[in-house]
Amino acid sequence: MISLKNLSRQITHDFNIQNISLHLPANSILSLIGKSGSGKSTLLRCIAGLETYSIEHEQKPERIGFVFQSSNLFSHLTLEQNIKLALQKVQKKDSAEADKICNEVLDQVKLSHRKSYRPSQLSGGQQQRGAIARALALKPQLILYDEPTSALDPELVDELLDLMLDLKKIGITQVVATHEKSAIKKISDYVGYMNSGELRLFEHFSKVANKAKELTSEEQKYLQLFI
């Protein structure tokens, strides 16, 4: 579950995200949409604790995973080594326990047969699934995704969306910044629309069309591209 009241972050004199308030129930998927530069990535980074910000009240899980637009896997390490790195260096797991967790999450994302491969030997979709496996290894209650499908071929997008739905089934709350129309319709429980640093709409997917009537005509036209 995520609850935010009046989250603000000053970026430059010309741009900030301001007064962001939302309540996302546990075990839900929120699709966050908006034009490039609208503040989606900044909001994700604030939720993850990667940016400083001001806020009146917040409630969010302690364990948060982040999947970036590019997988950000270390190119000189195998997939297995990428996953085990934080387990051993940060969480101080011994080798046997790190191996066990690594094997579990690789099986979960259907990449057990690629554990000894380096990122350059993996497809774009496999790299993103590998990044999700790395996040899962730390047992997150919430996973944030910043445009995870933007660099994928169309046939690989569905694989990633199916994985997100599988993670929902095991109780992981997820927030996905995306421009992918098929993703919004397939995975969304809630939709958030950002424009010029403001969360202009936050609503259950089934009620978005009606709620959008409160927006400007230009904003409604943009939403119609996705909903």
Side-chain angles (χ1 to χ4, degrees), residues 104-140:
E104 287 174 353
V105 296
L106 283 174
D107 183 61
Q108 202 168 351
V109 301
K110 301 178 174 61
L111 280 179
S112 297
H113 60 303
R114 293 288 189 265
K115 64 190 296 183
S116 62
Y117 285 41
R118 293 189 178 183
S120 62
Q121 298 172 299
L122 302 172
S123 70
Q126 290 172 338
Q127 288 180 29
Q128 284 295 59
R129 282 155 51 202
I132 293 172
R134 181 174 59 183
L136 287 173
L138 301 179
K139 307 297 184 186

